[in-house]
Amino acid sequence: MKKILLTSTALIATASVAAAEVKFEGYGRFGLGYVEDRGDTADDVILVSRFRLNIDAKTETDTGVEFSARVRLQADEDADTGEQKAAGLNGALFSVIYGGLRVDAGNVGGAIDNLDNYYGTEPGLETFLGQYSGVDYDFLGYSSDGAGSNAVFFQYKIGGGAVSASYDQGDRDRWDISAAYTFNNVTAALAYGQTGAPTDGEKESLVVLTLGAEVGDVSGSLFIANDDVDKEESGVAYGLSGAYSLGAATTLQFAYGDGGAGARNVGVGAKYDLGGGASLLGGIGQIQSGDEDGQLRADLGAQFAF
């Protein structure tokens, strides 16, 4: 009888494993990072690093509905002190997918965070340059090293089109909506986000339009936005970025962002594919915030996926 019970338990455990899937994947990177006049607590040149491990679990019902969850383990250096920080888990992200419909809950990225070509090409090992730098609006974003916002995200895809929406109650209601359409090798996307007014202020909003294309060895994106945050930080933000594959292993990168009262940056980078998921990356550029003097920034190192 004891053997029968043990066998039954083993079969049940095996069936549970077969019905579900747990996957571990991520990347590591390390190298040198330079920031002009970094500060009093760290040298201008420090050792930069990141370890990121995504832990994904999913299962699928008999009717084809997929349920999944993700947590992320991540460790970075402290850019202010140059010291290493301990790894920690972030808030959980839960998803339900059926056909073209996706619903996320928990630590989610909103409709703007998931907008096609919002981030474009980000040169450098640390991806410290971006076409979006002129935006000051604080939209709902996925948190890699924190709890994140407890929010919801919806997306529906059909053909070459997609519509998305997200909502975060928080202290102030925050919601985003977006639409995107891909025709041939061109993707156009439009998004609007709004955050409710605080007790002593006004509501904030952001409108974003992106356009991305890929032709042969060249890919690029255009970015234009208008954010209404306050009198000093409102205005039009704009930018562009791109990449050019120079042979089978080398890719050249570029990014420019400006506008509003946000940070303005311009820079270039390069990536060399070593094979097996490993690459050498580096970038150099200038970053300026408001009326402050610009800072030269650069990095160089290796990244490998697993």
Side-chain angles (χ1 to χ4, degrees):
M1 181 65 180
K2 184 176 181 180
K3 290 183 178 180
I4 294 175
L5 289 175
L6 288 173
T7 303
S8 300
T9 302
L11 288 172
I12 292 172
T14 303
S16 298
V17 172
E21 177 185 336
V22 179
K23 182 172 64 175
F24 299 82
E25 64 178 7
Y27 70 84
R29 72 183 189 201
F30 61 95
L32 296 176
Y34 169 80
V35 175
E36 182 182 11
D37 299 325
R38 185 185 294 269
D40 298 331
T41 58
D43 295 332
D44 288 355
V45 179
I46 65 171
L47 178 65
V48 296
S49 63
R50 168 175 290 173
F51 172 83
R52 172 179 290 179
L53 177 66
N54 293 323
I55 307 172
D56 295 294
K58 71 176 183 179
T59 189
E60 187 172 317
T61 68
D62 295 338
T63 55
V65 180
E66 179 184 305
F67 291 85
S68 63
R70 162 178 287 188
V71 290
R72 175 173 290 174
L73 180 69
Q74 182 160 305
D76 295 278
E77 90 287 345
D78 188 325
D80 293 327
T81 66
E83 299 298 325
Q84 179 67 272
K85 295 192 296 185
L89 287 171
N90 68 345
L93 164 66
F94 301 91
S95 302
V96 181
I97 302 173
Y98 182 71
L101 176 65
R102 179 188 185 102
V103 180
D104 292 347
N107 177 17
V108 307
I112 295 176
D113 194 30
N114 285 286
L115 189 68
D116 288 293
N117 297 304
Y118 181 92
Y119 295 99
T121 299
E122 298 173 284
L125 178 68
E126 303 171 273
T127 60
F128 58 84
L129 295 166
Q131 61 185 16
Y132 47 82
S133 63
V135 172
D136 292 288
Y137 180 78
D138 184 21
F139 55 81
L140 174 64
Y142 176 78
S143 175
S144 292
D145 55 6
S149 298
N150 196 27
V152 291
F153 168 77
F154 306 88
Q155 185 178 73
Y156 184 72
K157 293 183 177 180
I158 180 169
V163 292
S164 305
S166 57
Y167 175 71
D168 171 27
Q169 187 173 23
D171 296 329
R172 301 159 59 189
D173 287 351
R174 178 171 54 178
W175 54 271
D176 309 329
I177 56 173
S178 71
Y181 187 75
T182 300
F183 45 98
N184 295 327
N185 58 343
V186 179
T187 299
L190 177 67
Y192 175 79
Q194 180 175 297
T195 301
T199 55
D200 58 347
E202 299 180 353
K203 68 180 182 180
E204 301 174 354
S205 63
L206 173 68
V207 180
V208 182
L209 173 65
T210 67
L211 188 66
E214 185 173 348
V215 181
D217 295 329
V218 179
S219 62
S221 57
L222 296 174
F223 178 96
I224 185 167
N226 185 79
D227 58 355
D228 185 2
V229 178
D230 59 35
K231 293 182 179 179
E232 296 182 356
E233 297 184 351
S234 297
V236 176
Y238 49 89
L240 66 149
S241 64
Y244 173 63
S245 296
L246 187 66
T250 304
T251 301
L252 303 180
Q253 304 166 319
F254 165 79
Y256 168 76
D258 201 346
R264 295 178 288 279
N265 62 203
V266 60
V268 296
K271 176 181 179 181
Y272 183 77
D273 188 358
L274 299 172
S279 303
L280 296 177
L281 297 99
I284 183 169
Q286 186 178 55
I287 297 176
Q288 182 179 1
S289 181
D291 296 328
E292 298 178 1
D293 294 334
Q295 279 185 309
L296 183 66
R297 184 166 177 175
D299 62 16
L300 178 64
Q303 180 169 305
F304 58 95
F306 51 83

